[in-house]
Amino acid sequence: MELGEGPAWIDGALWFVDIKRDTVFRHDPASGELTRWQAPEHVGWVLPSATSGLIAGLRSGPHRFDPADGSFTRIAETQPDLPDNRLNDAAIDGEGRIWFGTMDNLEESATGQVFVLDQGAVTTTQIAPITITNGPAISPCGAIVYHVDTLARRVIRHRIAADGSPDAGEVFLDFNTEDRADWGHPDGAICDAQGAVWLGFYGGWAARRFASDGTLTHEVRFPVSNVTKVALGGEDGMSAFATSARQGLSEDQLAQQPLAGDVFTFRVDTPAAPPRRANT
């Protein structure tokens, strides 16, 4: 894959996307079958819906995706005045709302924002615009959203109010310290059943798990530099699946990383958080 992203364990299978090649994948570990669908635009993620099919984050906004016929039907348009922006990453909270971020596809302008899709309507949060949004990740209790500012190399923690709005937030993780200089950039984020945060690191050759107090608990190294996101699933929820990317690597780097763009798996000690479905 050019830019593997958005892994999610849905109904006994692993779903993921290649953003730059506009492709959705479903892998059934039991049979080994890999199915793919071509999207009409860049696609950042797919998540399960409680009403019908899947919700897919396409460049122009969230769409309903029907795997049976491969159709994508737009639910709402996002930032139509910014044609270089696209949807990038997403998570479902305890109320079934999808929190998703946009980003400048050229990775230059601070036009990326965090939105919420709730029962078919999209609203903008008050989280400050940045260039590349990642996550959001939602705690199992549903009270916290973790927002990744990839270029600033920080993760911000926001409390979610009763009305569903995030507070001003505070720095949860900062990777701009000397001892973390070679860790790369924090990328996709998820929370496990204990509320710890798993992060992929783009240019960092690793995925890392941080407890809810920010303590590093696990580091998993990979034979590829660009680790984009981790999903937890499998029969017991304790299999991890990590997507990666070839994007931006030179011919020499690709020769040294022949597995770049592949999906990797490993086992974890703490299972996935209980599954959620979107209310749209």
Side-chain angles (χ1 to χ4, degrees):
M1 292 183 290
E2 185 70 15
L3 180 53
E5 258 291 5
W9 184 262
I10 303 172
D11 297 337
L14 179 70
W15 292 77
F16 55 99
V17 303
D18 186 337
I19 294 177
K20 293 303 178 76
R21 294 179 180 171
D22 308 346
T23 308
V24 176
F25 297 90
R26 178 187 184 273
H27 179 250
D28 182 346
S31 67
E33 182 180 9
L34 179 66
T35 310
R36 67 188 69 199
W37 294 262
Q38 197 66 31
E41 305 169 353
H42 286 349
V43 53
W45 45 268
V46 292
L47 291 171
S49 169
T51 59
S52 176
L54 301 167
I55 308 298
L58 269 59
R59 183 200 61 78
S60 60
H63 285 59
R64 191 172 301 281
F65 168 46
D66 185 352
D69 61 11
S71 63
F72 293 83
T73 304
R74 184 184 294 160
I75 297 168
E77 193 170 16
T78 307
Q79 297 181 308
D81 57 324
L82 297 171
D84 288 330
N85 271 28
R86 65 171 173 81
L87 274 62
N88 192 47
D89 200 2
I92 303 172
D93 71 12
E95 301 299 320
R97 298 171 294 220
I98 296 180
W99 294 66
F100 66 92
T102 62
M103 63 169 282
D104 175 18
N105 200 35
L106 303 176
E107 302 182 9
E108 296 174 350
S109 302
T111 53
Q113 289 188 276
V114 177
F115 297 83
V116 173
L117 172 65
D118 185 8
Q119 298 183 346
V122 171
T123 56
T124 307
T125 70
Q126 297 305 307
I127 295 175
I130 59 173
T131 303
I132 301 177
T133 64
N134 262 297
I138 311 292
S139 65
C141 67
I144 298 171
V145 55
Y146 296 93
H147 169 232
V148 183
D149 186 339
T150 293
L151 291 188
R153 303 182 73 226
R154 291 189 177 94
V155 180
I156 311 301
R157 177 172 52 198
H158 302 265
R159 302 282 178 180
I160 302 175
D163 64 358
S165 62
D167 68 9
E170 60 184 356
V171 176
F172 171 62
L173 296 169
D174 188 343
F175 301 107
N176 295 293
T177 56
E178 185 176 349
D179 60 322
R180 297 176 172 182
D182 62 349
W183 280 22
H185 288 77
D187 205 318
I190 61 164
C191 289
D192 64 19
Q194 289 184 351
V197 178
W198 275 100
L199 285 167
F201 282 82
Y202 202 94
W205 302 83
R208 297 178 175 92
R209 179 185 185 268
F210 300 87
S212 56
D213 64 358
T215 302
L216 175 66
T217 65
H218 295 76
E219 178 182 76
V220 180
R221 305 290 296 183
F222 293 85
V224 298
S225 58
N226 299 332
V227 182
T228 55
K229 190 173 182 177
V230 173
L232 300 179
E235 291 185 1
D236 58 2
M238 297 177 70
S239 291
F241 306 91
T243 47
S244 68
R246 296 166 56 88
Q247 174 186 260
L249 298 179
S250 68
E251 290 186 8
D252 287 345
Q253 289 172 320
L254 288 171
Q256 296 166 7
Q257 302 177 44
L259 300 180
D262 283 7
V263 179
F264 300 85
T265 186
F266 58 95
R267 295 287 289 172
V268 295
D269 299 327
T270 303
R276 294 165 173 162
R277 291 183 179 269
N279 63 21
T280 294

